[in-house]
């Protein structure tokens, strides 16, 4: 029999409802803000807490289920996560080569193992210094884990928002070329998705497609030129393509493309930016910060590539908002570190 909700459960549900309302309001104001992700993460966290506490207060199978969930699932889940990250990291090394970004999932898996071993060593040694450092590390890692959960949850939601039909431009963001001149499968995915979005639009006087990407030091031609060639070779009308061939970063992609769009439509424009799915939410955050009125659509990416790419994108978002994140990390670590000074 399910018992009546206790004050603790009702309070958790009340907080979940409050953050849900804040989430809806924030999305209605601007679906690209990072606070949307935080509000969604808090909503799901308090909702899950309320459900867990409610089940634990029930009788029979419900209580057993709650005990198993609290006692067993975190351990099993952590082991599964570490195994997945390490195996994925090895796959990335085999298929993509040894680069810093390709090592991210492997590094995270090894890092989690290292943190667990450090916690065990601190508890066994019972040394105040080790316990203080371990406590500080756990608090900061918990904050990072919560932010990552928020990022993943809202990124999933954002990528599934319907694409606006009334837009004047589609902007496809560039990526590195194979051999310095050939469109890579990752970039081809962006271009194919950009074309499908373009064909779904009904902007005034017909939309334009902007291919955005400059020439890297190891490239024989600009990414924009290679992207345009790829589209034209597959039947896309050349007179509907604009080339932005000066940018080197996502920020420059958006700024220089925005300049082209303002030049063509000084009275105002509407656009959809296309990139890979793992990059779409960060691109949306950057567009918002730069004041570019863009919705961002994502294209499919190989499954094995997603973990490292998603971790890389999260790190970039964390660093982008370092003025907020670093003080919070310092605040969380401070009480534990004070123990070291005593």
């Amino acid at each position: 029999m399910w018992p009546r909700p206790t004050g603790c459960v009702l309070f958790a549900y009340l907080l979940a409802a409050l953050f849900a309302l804040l989430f809806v309001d924030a999305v209605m104001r601007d679906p690209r803000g990072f606070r949307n992700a935080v509000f969604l993460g808090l909503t799901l966290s308090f909702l899950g807490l309320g459900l867990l506490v409610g089940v634990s207060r029930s009788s029979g199978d419900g209580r057993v289920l709650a005990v198993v969930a609290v006692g067993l699932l975190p351990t099993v889940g952590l082991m599964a996560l570490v195994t997945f990250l390490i195996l994925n990291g090895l796959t990335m090394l085999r298929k993509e080569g040894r680069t810093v970004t390709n090592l991210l999932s492997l590094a995270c898996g090894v890092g989690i193992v290292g943190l667990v071993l450090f916690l065990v060593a601190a508890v066994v040694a019972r040394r105040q210094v080790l316990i203080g450092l371990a406590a500080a590390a756990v608090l900061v890692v918990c904050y990072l884990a919560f932010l990552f959960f928020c990022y993943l949850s809202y990124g999933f939601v954002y990528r599934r928002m319907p694409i606006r039909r009334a837009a004047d431009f589609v902007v496809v963001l560039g990526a590195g070329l194979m051999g310095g001149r050939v469109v890579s499968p990752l970039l081809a995915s962006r271009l194919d998705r950009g074309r499908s979005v373009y064909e779904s639009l009904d902007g005034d006087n017909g939309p334009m497609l902007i291919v955005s990407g400059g020439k890297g030091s190891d490239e024989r031609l600009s990414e924009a030129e290679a992207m345009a060639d790829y589209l034209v070779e597959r039947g896309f009308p050349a007179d509907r393509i604009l080339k932005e061939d000066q940018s080197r970063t996502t920020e420059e992609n958006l700024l220089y493309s925005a300049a082209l769009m303002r030049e063509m439509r000084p009275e105002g424009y509407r656009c959809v930016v296309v990139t890979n799915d793992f990059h779409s939410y960060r691109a949306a955050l950057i567009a918002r910060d730069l004041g570019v009125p863009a919705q961002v659509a994502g294209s499919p990416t190989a499954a094995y590539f997603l973990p490292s790419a998603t971790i890389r994108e999260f790190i970039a978002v964390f660093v982008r908002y370092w003025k907020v994140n670093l003080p919070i990390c310092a605040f969380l670590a401070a009480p534990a570190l004070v123990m070291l000074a005593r």
Side-chain angles (χ1 to χ4, degrees):
M1 179 179 179
W2 193 276
R4 296 180 59 184
T6 63
C8 180
V9 174
L10 290 176
F11 184 65
Y13 287 156
L14 179 62
L15 288 177
L18 173 62
F19 285 117
L21 290 175
L22 291 174
F23 168 70
V24 172
D25 178 69
V27 171
M28 294 296 292
R29 292 175 183 271
D30 191 334
R32 302 171 297 175
F34 193 72
R35 64 176 181 172
N36 305 358
V38 175
F39 287 149
L40 178 60
L42 289 170
T43 299
L44 295 176
S45 297
F46 282 110
L47 180 60
L49 178 63
L51 290 172
L52 183 61
V53 174
V55 170
S56 68
R57 299 293 177 87
S58 64
S59 58
D61 294 339
R63 185 182 296 274
V64 173
L65 179 63
V67 172
V68 171
V70 173
L72 185 59
L73 289 183
T75 302
V76 174
L78 185 62
M79 293 175 60
L81 176 62
V82 168
T83 302
F84 170 76
L85 289 173
I86 292 176
L87 291 178
N88 177 257
L90 295 175
T91 301
M92 284 292 292
L93 291 178
R94 186 176 69 254
K95 292 189 175 184
E96 301 293 332
R98 296 182 181 180
T99 65
V100 174
T101 54
N102 292 342
L103 285 169
L104 286 176
S105 59
L106 179 61
C108 285
V110 173
I112 293 173
V113 173
L115 179 60
V116 171
L117 293 177
F118 180 57
L119 292 175
V120 172
V123 172
V124 172
R126 297 184 180 180
R127 295 184 60 182
Q128 185 173 347
V129 172
L130 291 179
I131 293 175
L133 290 174
V138 168
L139 289 173
V140 171
V141 168
C142 286
Y143 174 67
L144 292 174
F146 172 72
L147 284 185
F148 190 59
F149 169 69
C150 295
Y151 179 80
L152 284 179
S153 300
Y154 188 66
F156 179 85
V157 172
Y158 183 83
R159 290 194 297 272
R160 282 154 182 78
M161 291 182 177
I163 303 298
R164 63 182 62 168
R165 298 297 180 183
D168 308 300
F169 299 93
V170 175
V171 181
V172 182
L173 304 187
L177 303 177
M178 293 194 308
R181 60 184 306 158
V182 179
V183 168
S184 66
L186 184 142
L187 183 52
S189 174
R190 297 184 185 187
L191 290 165
D192 294 341
R193 172 67 163 149
R195 180 171 186 167
S196 68
V197 171
Y198 171 91
E199 292 171 348
S200 72
L201 299 181
D202 54 4
D204 300 333
N205 303 320
M208 297 292 293
L209 189 147
I210 299 176
V211 287
S212 176
K215 179 178 178 295
S217 59
D218 60 342
E219 294 174 336
R220 300 181 183 180
L221 70 164
S222 70
E223 293 168 7
E225 186 174 351
M227 294 161 72
D229 291 343
Y230 176 92
L231 290 169
V232 172
E233 288 171 1
R234 287 157 179 77
F236 193 88
D239 62 339
R240 306 311 298 173
I241 298 176
L242 293 175
K243 300 177 187 177
E244 183 287 295
D245 58 3
Q246 300 300 312
S247 58
R248 299 290 187 90
T249 66
T250 301
E251 286 85 349
E252 291 181 353
N253 285 140
L254 295 171
L255 284 173
Y256 297 163
S257 297
L260 288 176
M261 291 184 281
R262 284 195 301 269
E263 182 179 349
M264 292 193 66
R265 291 183 178 270
E267 73 282 359
Y269 63 87
R270 299 155 296 180
C271 72
V272 178
V273 173
V274 177
T275 184
N276 286 89
D277 46 12
F278 64 82
H279 184 235
S280 58
Y281 184 39
R282 182 165 77 91
L285 291 171
I286 295 172
R288 178 180 183 273
D289 292 344
L290 296 177
V292 178
Q295 180 182 6
V296 182
S299 65
T301 308
Y304 76 88
F305 195 83
L306 284 175
S308 286
T310 302
I311 293 170
R312 181 190 66 199
E313 293 298 306
F314 171 73
I315 292 172
V317 170
F318 181 87
V319 172
R320 186 173 189 84
Y321 300 116
W322 67 270
K323 292 183 180 179
V324 174
N325 289 319
L326 290 188
I328 292 176
C329 289
F331 174 78
L332 291 173
L337 294 178
V338 167
M339 296 172 58
L340 302 179
R342 293 181 178 177

